[in-house]
């Protein structure tokens, strides 16, 4: 495993907490929510109930849990409220962890790239039409 100096780890954690609105859920293998924390409100998640099935509380997790022994990454997933999040789901002895990280900046950058690609394509079509006339 990569060994990092403590100041580097502290910086990365602070950066993550400051810029990515970290939130987490711990779900038992039977689907019951057992713990949660972080900035869940930033994703429109609230009124969680311990012991209640997670799929009934957070719609996009329905059918994804329980995990076997493989982690799952869902990039730029839109929540019910339209908030863009990177969702990391990984198994542990305690249950399955669900991490939410804000992906709004990534989504905006991808949107800009797509917009530029579309504009380039339109420009090429116009040039082709002019040259063919």
């Amino acid at each position: 495993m990569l060994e990092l100096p403590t100041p580097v780890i502290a910086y990365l954690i602070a950066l993550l907490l400051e810029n990515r609105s970290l939130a987490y859920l711990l779900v038992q293998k039977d689907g019951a929510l057992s713990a949660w924390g972080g900035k869940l409100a930033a994703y429109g998640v609230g009124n969680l109930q311990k012991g209640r099935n997670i799929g009934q509380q957070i719609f996009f997790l329905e059918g994804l849990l329980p995990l076997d022994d493989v982690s799952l990454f869902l990039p730029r997933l839109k929540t019910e409220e339209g908030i863009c999040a990177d969702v990391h789901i990984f198994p542990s002895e305690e249950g399955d962890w669900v991490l939410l990280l804000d992906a709004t900046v990534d989504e905006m950058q991808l949107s800009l790239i797509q917009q530029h690609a579309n504009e380039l394509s339109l420009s090429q079509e116009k040039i082709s039409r002019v040259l063919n006339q």
Side-chain angles (χ1 to χ4, degrees):
M1 178 175 220
L2 177 66
E3 291 190 30
L4 298 173
T6 303
V8 172
I9 293 170
Y11 174 82
L12 289 173
I13 290 171
L15 186 67
L16 180 72
L17 294 174
E18 181 180 332
N19 296 328
R20 298 291 304 267
S21 296
L22 173 66
Y24 68 88
L25 306 161
L26 177 58
V27 181
Q28 299 301 310
K29 291 298 184 180
D30 66 358
L33 178 64
S34 63
W36 61 91
K39 297 183 178 182
L40 285 165
Y43 302 99
V45 175
N47 300 322
L48 295 173
Q49 297 175 7
K50 188 174 185 173
R52 188 169 164 223
N53 185 283
I54 193 63
Q56 296 172 352
Q57 298 185 70
I58 301 178
F59 85 96
F60 65 82
L61 293 175
E62 181 66 39
L64 293 176
L65 300 170
L67 293 178
D68 292 324
D69 291 329
V70 179
S71 298
L72 184 60
F73 172 57
L74 305 170
R76 295 180 309 279
L77 183 103
K78 295 268 181 152
T79 65
E80 265 184 277
E81 290 73 23
I83 299 161
C84 191
D86 285 339
V87 180
H88 298 262
I89 307 173
F90 61 94
S92 74
E93 289 181 15
E94 299 90 3
D96 294 330
W97 289 94
V98 179
L99 301 181
L100 301 169
L101 299 169
D102 189 321
T104 304
V105 172
D106 296 338
E107 181 71 10
M108 289 187 323
Q109 288 173 340
L110 188 63
S111 235
L112 284 173
I113 291 168
Q114 184 65 49
Q115 181 180 355
H116 288 301
N118 290 341
E119 289 170 359
L120 180 60
S121 179
L122 288 174
S123 295
Q124 288 174 337
E125 286 178 25
K126 286 179 185 178
I127 290 170
S128 291
R129 273 189 265 134
V130 168
L131 292 174
N132 289 333
Q133 288 180 351

